[in-house]
């Protein structure tokens, strides 16, 4: 398709008619604002809609605008995000709210370049916010949009290469109508999520199948092409639970660590032949295990780049907690009030 031809106009028209008729009901679509759009787009990074909706509703009820989010503590923000995963998103959103208040008078900037200067706002999120909230004629290229455009134009090169992604974005931009660019952006995302899916696209239900070069070539199953995924690194952990008087000892994950900012059981990677390694897990806290402890079981938890097997051991301990380590005794009945990852929750369930 050539830029701005009648084909492009008809493509956009067909897609928007389908979107108007069949789009899903989502809370951030019912009430649109720059703040709600930024929160939803941040949450939707690497997380499916069904999982995000209840978190979004709770989050915006607790922090209804940039001012409320900026004035909150990181602990409160992470606690509200608890279980959603990828906690860097929450920390970046918190920092972005602070910058919006300090540098932009509480209003999210409309310019894509200024949006990209905010923590955690990459090219896709900046384009999505600019289109949806400010009617900018731009193209938001996420995984769904990349798959749609790759099939429409029968792109056979590996789509995770930067040059190819730039080409896909440029091609997608040709299709964006001058009016309703925000709805068009959401329609492309909707199409990729529900119809032009990975593996076996539902071409018979596609409102723009007429313009799909991959379908015409019988190549939808082979497009898009992606680089082989790297194997996840296997990690073995021992997680140690010390419980006293209805409270459990937790440590905060440090900056740069996996799940940074969240609370978890003390843990360590055992060395070959070391056994359960409880003493080495507790030593940095100023404690020593009394006895071998009780092995409560093991869990397996798959992260983006790691495949973790964790043995959970409950032990008694002696000693005095040292200063300089972010650690806390938490009432077992109040664990829902702090930032716990789903991994930490699973280990605590075994421990308790």
């Amino acid at each position: 398709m050539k830029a701005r031809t009648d084909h492009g106009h008809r493509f956009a028209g067909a897609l928007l008619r389908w979107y108007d008729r069949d789009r899903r009901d989502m809370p951030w679509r019912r009430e649109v604002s720059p703040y709600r759009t930024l929160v939803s787009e941040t949450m939707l990074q690497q997380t499916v809609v069904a999982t995000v909706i209840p978190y979004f509703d709770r989050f915006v009820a607790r922090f209804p605008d940039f001012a409320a989010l900026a004035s909150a503590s990181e602990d409160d923000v992470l606690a509200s995000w608890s279980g959603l995963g990828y906690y860097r998103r929450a920390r970046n959103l918190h920092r972005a709210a602070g910058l919006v208040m300090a540098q932009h008078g509480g209003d999210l900037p409309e310019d894509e370049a200024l949006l990209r200067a905010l923590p955690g706002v990459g090219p896709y999120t900046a384009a999505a916010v600019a289109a949806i909230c400010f009617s900018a004629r731009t193209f938001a290229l996420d995984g769904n949009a990349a798959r749609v455009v790759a099939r429409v134009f029968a792109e056979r090169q590996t789509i995770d290469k930067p040059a190819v992604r730039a080409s896909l974005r440029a091609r997608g931009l040709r299709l964006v109508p001058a009016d309703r660019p925000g709805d068009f952006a959401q329609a492309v995302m909707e199409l990729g999520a529900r119809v032009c899916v990975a593996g076996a696209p539902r071409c018979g239900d596609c409102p723009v199948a007429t313009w799909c070069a991959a379908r015409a070539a019988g190549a939808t199953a082979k497009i898009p092409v992606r680089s082989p995924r790297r194997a996840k690194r296997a990690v073995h952990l021992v997680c140690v639970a010390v419980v006293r008087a209805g409270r459990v000892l937790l440590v905060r994950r440090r900056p740069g660590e996996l799940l940074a900012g969240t609370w978890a059981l003390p843990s360590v990677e055992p060395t070959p032949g070391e056994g359960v390694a409880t003493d080495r897990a507790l030593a940095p806290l100023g404690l020593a295990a009394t006895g071998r402890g009780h092995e409560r079981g093991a869990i397996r938890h798959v992260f983006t780049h790691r495949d973790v097997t964790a043995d959970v051991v409950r032990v008694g301990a002696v000693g005095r907690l040292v200063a300089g380590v972010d650690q806390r005794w938490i009432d077992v009945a109040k664990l829902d009030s702090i930032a716990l990852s789903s991994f930490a929750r699973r280990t605590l369930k075994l421990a308790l």
Side-chain angles (χ1 to χ4, degrees):
M1 274 176 279
K2 296 182 179 179
R4 309 306 296 156
T5 64
D6 184 53
H7 287 296
H9 287 293
R10 288 191 292 159
F11 179 99
L15 182 59
L16 285 168
R17 285 192 295 274
W18 171 81
Y19 178 72
D20 290 340
R21 184 180 65 249
D22 289 344
R23 65 183 175 186
R24 291 170 291 179
D25 179 38
M26 300 176 187
W28 48 88
R29 288 177 177 169
R30 289 180 223 136
E31 181 185 340
V32 178
S33 73
Y35 175 72
R36 291 167 64 88
T37 300
L38 182 61
V39 172
S40 65
E41 290 297 338
T42 301
M43 287 186 168
L44 287 165
Q45 295 167 11
Q46 298 179 292
T47 308
V48 297
V49 167
T51 300
V52 165
I53 286 176
Y55 280 93
F56 175 85
D57 287 337
R58 289 193 296 268
F59 195 89
V60 296
R62 175 70 178 82
F63 312 110
D65 50 33
F66 285 114
L69 182 57
S71 63
S73 69
E74 184 175 290
D75 276 350
D76 284 346
V77 174
L78 291 178
S80 295
W81 201 276
S82 182
L84 190 58
Y86 301 99
Y87 291 89
R88 182 178 296 176
R89 296 179 299 177
R91 294 193 298 276
N92 282 335
L93 187 59
H94 187 212
R95 291 170 55 213
L99 290 176
V100 168
M101 297 304 299
Q103 298 180 2
H104 302 288
D107 295 322
L108 197 64
E110 298 184 16
D111 182 75
E112 267 188 82
L114 292 177
L115 286 168
R116 289 183 62 176
L118 296 173
V121 178
Y124 161 75
T125 302
V129 171
I132 294 167
C133 298
F134 306 120
S135 297
R137 189 173 172 270
T138 184
F139 189 77
L141 188 78
D142 68 344
N144 285 325
R147 184 167 57 254
V148 169
V149 177
R151 283 176 173 156
V152 168
F153 289 94
E155 174 56 70
R156 295 178 183 271
Q157 296 188 72
T158 305
I159 68 166
D160 43 17
K161 292 181 178 178
V164 178
R165 290 188 70 81
S167 173
L168 291 175
R169 190 171 191 270
R171 289 174 173 181
L173 185 59
R174 299 179 198 171
L175 304 174
V176 179
D179 60 330
R180 301 184 65 189
D183 284 342
F184 183 83
Q186 295 186 86
V188 172
M189 300 173 207
E190 188 93 344
L191 186 72
R194 296 172 55 201
V195 177
C196 192
V197 295
R202 296 166 47 209
C203 298
D205 298 326
C206 181
V208 290
T210 300
W211 296 276
C212 182
R215 180 173 178 266
T220 53
K222 298 178 181 178
I223 295 175
V225 180
R226 296 183 181 276
S227 298
R229 292 185 179 182
R230 295 181 181 178
K232 298 180 187 293
R233 182 167 72 90
V235 177
H236 179 208
L237 293 177
V238 172
C239 298
V240 182
V242 180
V243 182
R244 292 179 181 171
R247 299 185 301 166
V248 60
L249 181 62
L250 300 180
V251 296
R252 195 198 301 268
R253 304 287 294 173
R254 293 173 296 184
E257 291 184 326
L258 184 67
L259 305 172
T262 63
W263 294 89
L265 293 172
S267 63
V268 68
E269 290 188 51
T271 58
E274 187 178 12
V276 292
T278 51
D279 278 333
R280 192 156 59 85
L282 295 177
L285 313 182
L287 301 179
T290 56
R292 180 179 175 84
H294 302 282
E295 297 184 18
R296 309 293 289 184
I299 67 164
R300 182 185 177 195
H301 200 93
V302 179
F303 296 92
T304 305
H305 301 297
R306 299 171 192 172
D307 187 343
V308 177
T309 300
D311 297 322
V312 179
V313 182
R314 183 164 168 170
V315 300
V318 295
R320 178 178 296 179
L321 295 178
V322 299
V325 178
D326 205 347
Q327 54 200 340
R328 187 185 299 177
W329 290 99
I330 302 292
D331 190 324
V332 169
K334 297 180 179 179
L335 289 173
D336 286 340
S337 66
I338 63 171
L340 291 173
S341 67
S342 56
F343 170 75
R345 290 183 188 279
R346 293 182 65 198
T347 60
L348 281 163
K349 183 177 180 180
L350 266 185
L352 301 174

